[in-house]
Amino acid sequence: MTRTSRIMALACVLACLVLRPAPLMAAEDPDQDGLTDVWEAVFQTNPGRADTDGDGFSDGEEIRQGFDPRQSGGIRLKDTDVDEDGLSDRFELLFETDPRAKDTDADGYLDGQEIAQGYDPRASNGKALAKRVLVDLSEQKLFQELGGVVIASHVVSSGKASTPTPVGAFTILNKHQRAWSRSAKLWMPYWMAFRADGYGFHELPEWPGGKKEGKAHLGTPVSHGCVRIGEGVAKTLYDWTPVGTKVVIQR
């Protein structure tokens, strides 16, 4: 390598160091609220005070739970996206991406695009993040998890007391866009089985004439054991969930 080429190579390295923001993990957190100074600047919280709004919860804890750390009273956090990469600042924090860089792993895809497609925005090798469907029967809610982060929640209707939804750990066994229930004589759109003996997720049942069953009962256990999902949401979940996805149902 000639002297000129060595100088040019060194200049490139120095340019990269200048242009690339300092690692998030290297930033300081003097008030020990779970937010480094970088994140305090993003969310406009007080870097010298662990609990900016004085409500008894640390700033980091509030943001992770979706609450505004600058306002007491349980005010929900409004979505912001400082680097305009399609991933909200709260999700940047949860997925540990860089809120100052549109493309954290510099692989040519925006962080928001990668999360939407189920890929890790911190890894440039096309690594997929694990998906999981969690159902909490006590809340009658279904949660979509990506890489351990809850990205969406939906109200559902599970089995009634006489025909309860089974609890435990399962996997999605098979899928069918429009399954027919011989016993109930109803269509079950966007069917996803999680047990071989007839238990699964599906959109609100549909009579042969097109009328939907149970629209007013979402949030109430009324099914024969399956987990009913609302219109629109069922297709979104169906498209997002591949066969083999882990399912956990708990009380």
Side-chain angles (χ1 to χ4, degrees):
M1 181 181 290
T2 65
R3 182 173 180 275
T4 301
S5 61
R6 284 199 300 269
I7 291 174
M8 291 179 64
L10 178 61
C12 289
V13 171
L14 291 175
C16 290
L17 290 174
V18 171
L19 294 174
R20 185 172 290 278
L24 290 176
M25 298 305 293
E28 296 181 351
D29 180 14
D31 58 4
Q32 299 184 336
D33 61 354
L35 297 178
T36 64
D37 287 346
V38 170
W39 288 111
E40 299 269 12
V42 168
F43 292 107
Q44 300 179 11
T45 47
N46 188 339
R49 185 175 180 181
D51 180 9
T52 296
D53 59 11
D55 64 354
F57 300 95
S58 71
D59 294 345
E61 182 181 358
E62 290 206 70
I63 290 171
R64 287 177 173 83
Q65 296 301 320
F67 296 102
D68 191 335
R70 299 169 302 171
Q71 301 185 72
S72 59
I75 305 299
R76 301 298 299 184
L77 183 70
K78 292 182 179 179
D79 283 342
T80 56
D81 183 4
V82 169
D83 59 5
E84 299 181 337
D85 62 356
L87 191 63
S88 73
D89 295 325
R90 176 173 175 267
F91 278 129
E92 297 258 18
L93 177 66
L94 294 175
F95 283 108
E96 299 180 354
T97 48
D98 194 329
R100 306 160 297 178
K102 294 176 182 288
D103 180 8
T104 296
D105 57 12
D107 65 352
Y109 298 95
L110 299 181
D111 292 347
Q113 290 176 320
E114 296 210 63
I115 289 298
Q117 296 300 318
Y119 292 103
D120 190 342
R122 300 166 303 172
S124 59
N125 60 355
K127 176 185 175 184
L129 292 172
K131 293 182 177 182
R132 187 174 80 152
V133 176
L134 171 67
V135 178
D136 191 317
L137 298 178
S138 64
E139 293 187 40
Q140 289 293 286
K141 282 190 176 181
L142 180 151
F143 301 89
Q144 290 176 246
E145 293 183 353
L146 180 66
V149 175
V150 175
I151 60 171
S153 64
H154 313 286
V155 177
V156 297
S157 178
S158 66
K160 56 188 175 182
S162 58
T163 54
T165 299
V167 297
F170 313 98
T171 58
I172 297 298
L173 301 175
N174 58 69
K175 298 168 59 174
H176 196 290
Q177 284 195 342
R178 193 168 174 79
W180 173 255
S181 171
R182 288 186 230 172
S183 58
K185 302 293 189 282
L186 293 169
W187 292 106
M188 297 180 295
Y190 304 111
W191 167 262
M192 296 191 293
F194 60 82
R195 249 179 54 165
D197 53 351
Y199 292 95
F201 300 102
H202 60 81
E203 190 175 74
L204 295 173
E206 186 177 306
W207 292 99
K211 180 183 177 182
K212 286 290 186 180
E213 175 75 23
K215 282 187 179 182
H217 296 139
L218 280 174
T220 304
V222 296
S223 81
H224 289 91
C226 289
V227 178
R228 296 179 179 178
I229 308 167
E231 295 177 85
V233 173
K235 182 182 186 306
T236 298
L237 186 66
Y238 183 91
D239 292 341
W240 182 83
T241 310
V243 170
T245 298
K246 292 183 179 180
V247 173
V248 173
I249 301 178
Q250 63 187 30
R251 294 195 186 282

